[in-house]
Amino acid sequence: MLYKEAPDLIVPVLRPYRKRGEIGTWIDDETVIDLLREKLSKNTYAGIGEFHAFGDDVKKPVMQAVISFASEYDIFLHAHSDAEAVDLIFESDPDAVVLWAHSGFASPREVRGMLEKHDNLWADLAFRSDQATNGQVDPQWRQLFTDFPDRFMVGTDTFAPERWSFVGPHANYSREWIQTLPEPLASNIAYRNAELLLEAKRR
C-alpha cells in the first residue's frame, strides 16, 4: 500500500514471515513457499528478506524456493546469515544478488574475504556500531570501505514497531562517522550503493 502511494520513495521487500516468532521456524514450514508465490504474483518487490538462514538451512526446500523466486523475478535476497549460508546461496545460484544483513555480524577480515569471493554481494551496516566510535571510523573498516567503495550501505533494522524510535539516533550516529570519509565514498555508503543494489542485474 505504501508503494502505491509513493513509488518513487518506497522500496518494498518481501519478508517471509507471517507473524512474530517465526524467525527460527519459517525455514521448515513449506507453506511459506505458497505464501511467497502468491505475494510475488500480486505485488511488486525489489527483494526477498530480511530472512534468517544459517549454514545448511540453505539446502532446505523453503530456502531453495526463495532462491528460485529471486531468480524468476530478478530481485535480490536480503540474508541475515552466516558466511556459510551466503556461500551456499551463491552455490545454489551463482547469479544471485545478495544483500548481507548486518555484514553477517562478521569481523572486517571475514567480510573482506566474502566480498572478494562474491562479486554480487553487498553488505549493510544495520545494528552494528563497531565500524566507528565517537565519530571516528575504525581503521580496519575504513580500509575495507576504501577497498570496496561500492559494496556497503547504512541500515536501520526496524524489524519491529518499537525499533522505530531508534531511527533518528542511528541516523545521527551514521552521519557523524560517514562525514569523516572522503567523497564519493561517503555518499556511496550513505545512499548511492543502495541505489546500485536496486539497479544490479544478474550476471
Side-chain angles (χ1 to χ4, degrees):
M1 289 185 292
L2 286 173
Y3 178 68
K4 289 178 181 177
E5 292 296 325
D8 58 334
L9 177 64
I10 301 299
V11 179
V13 181
L14 177 57
R15 191 173 170 101
Y17 309 145
R18 295 182 178 91
K19 60 183 183 299
R20 279 188 169 186
E22 295 186 340
I23 286 176
T25 60
W26 79 281
I27 199 73
D28 295 306
D29 180 0
E30 295 191 19
T31 66
V32 169
I33 298 173
D34 289 334
L35 170 70
L36 296 178
R37 182 181 291 112
E38 178 185 6
K39 295 285 188 180
L40 288 164
S41 68
K42 293 180 177 179
N43 303 301
T44 297
Y45 298 100
I48 301 174
E50 173 189 3
F51 56 79
H52 296 70
F54 302 93
D56 284 346
D57 285 345
V58 175
K59 298 179 181 179
K60 295 179 178 180
V62 174
M63 191 61 220
Q64 286 296 304
V66 168
I67 295 170
S68 294
F69 286 141
S71 175
E72 179 181 350
Y73 287 90
D74 196 13
I75 55 181
F76 69 85
L77 296 165
H78 191 189
H80 182 128
S81 303
D82 54 8
E84 180 185 1
V86 173
D87 284 338
L88 287 172
I89 290 172
F90 283 111
E91 183 178 304
S92 297
D93 182 3
D95 295 325
V97 175
V98 179
L99 174 59
W100 199 12
H102 321 291
S103 304
F105 289 117
S107 68
R109 180 178 179 181
E110 186 175 19
V111 175
R112 176 181 294 277
M114 292 297 287
L115 294 176
E116 289 174 345
K117 191 187 306 184
H118 303 297
D119 292 339
N120 263 13
L121 178 64
W122 275 258
D124 77 42
L125 300 166
F127 215 76
R128 295 193 72 134
S129 59
D130 57 319
Q131 69 269 26
T133 304
N134 295 324
Q136 298 301 311
V137 181
D138 174 84
Q140 290 187 76
W141 280 104
R142 179 180 285 270
Q143 190 60 54
L144 193 54
F145 296 152
T146 301
D147 294 343
F148 296 92
D150 301 326
R151 310 283 284 282
F152 289 95
M153 66 193 72
V154 296
T156 54
D157 202 42
T158 54
F159 62 89
E162 56 266 27
R163 289 281 310 163
W164 280 94
S165 63
F166 291 92
V167 172
H170 186 276
N172 291 335
Y173 163 76
S174 298
R175 291 187 182 105
E176 186 178 24
W177 64 261
I178 286 175
Q179 70 180 359
T180 71
L181 299 174
E183 288 291 354
L185 181 58
S187 294
N188 283 358
I189 294 174
Y191 65 92
R192 286 200 185 109
N193 290 346
E195 294 174 344
L196 286 175
L197 171 69
L198 296 177
E199 296 169 0
K201 300 298 181 183
R202 299 169 58 79
R203 300 180 191 278

